[in-house]
Amino acid sequence: MTIQEAQEKIDNWINTTGVRYFSELTNMAILTEEVGEVARIMARKYGDQSSKETDNKMLLADELADVMWVLLCIANQTGIDMTVALEKNFEKKNIRDAQRHHNNPKLKS
């Protein structure tokens, strides 16, 4: 599925099954919550924090998909084509960071 197809599928789902979009501010709060769930998994699986039994039921792939879902909801609500936005972001990074990371001694093996 392309990013554009994902935006369209989400828009269709929201306008049928979901009734309507939550407000942009509500979706921003939900996005923050979902990113927090990703952080929880990362801290426990890849970091030093101990897991609780309930943490083991959380799946990183599912939580990342939740983040993407809400992010695409916000893009839809604000009229942003994320394919175009991501392509422009690549252009920006290719110009700004063309040599930046190659010259970073912290990233050398």
Side-chain angles (χ1 to χ4, degrees):
M1 163 182 347
T2 66
I3 297 170
Q4 181 181 0
E5 289 169 340
Q7 282 191 252
E8 291 169 1
K9 286 180 85 164
I10 287 170
D11 189 61
N12 183 57
W13 189 93
I14 293 291
N15 288 306
T16 57
T17 307
V19 181
R20 67 170 181 81
Y21 283 92
F22 296 132
S23 72
E24 294 86 349
L25 287 175
T26 297
N27 274 336
M28 185 62 230
I30 293 168
L31 178 61
T32 303
E33 179 183 356
E34 296 298 348
V35 169
E37 290 174 4
V38 169
R40 180 181 196 95
I41 292 169
M42 296 299 291
R44 284 155 176 77
K45 185 170 183 177
Y46 302 101
D48 302 321
Q49 194 169 22
S50 301
S51 295
K52 293 189 262 181
E53 196 168 317
T54 55
D55 294 331
N56 297 329
K57 296 176 185 173
M58 297 176 76
L59 301 174
L60 182 58
D62 187 47
E63 298 306 330
L64 288 172
D66 285 344
V67 168
M68 182 176 272
W69 177 281
V70 181
L71 185 68
L72 294 179
C73 283
I74 293 170
N76 285 348
Q77 290 176 280
T78 57
I80 295 170
D81 179 330
M82 285 302 295
T83 300
V84 171
L86 191 57
E87 287 170 349
K88 286 182 180 179
N89 197 267
F90 267 104
E91 289 173 19
K92 175 183 76 176
K93 284 178 175 38
N94 283 333
I95 293 167
R96 183 189 67 198
D97 300 331
Q99 291 301 312
R100 178 176 161 214
H101 299 298
H102 289 282
N103 297 327
N104 183 345
K106 296 181 223 174
L107 297 177
K108 302 286 180 195
S109 315

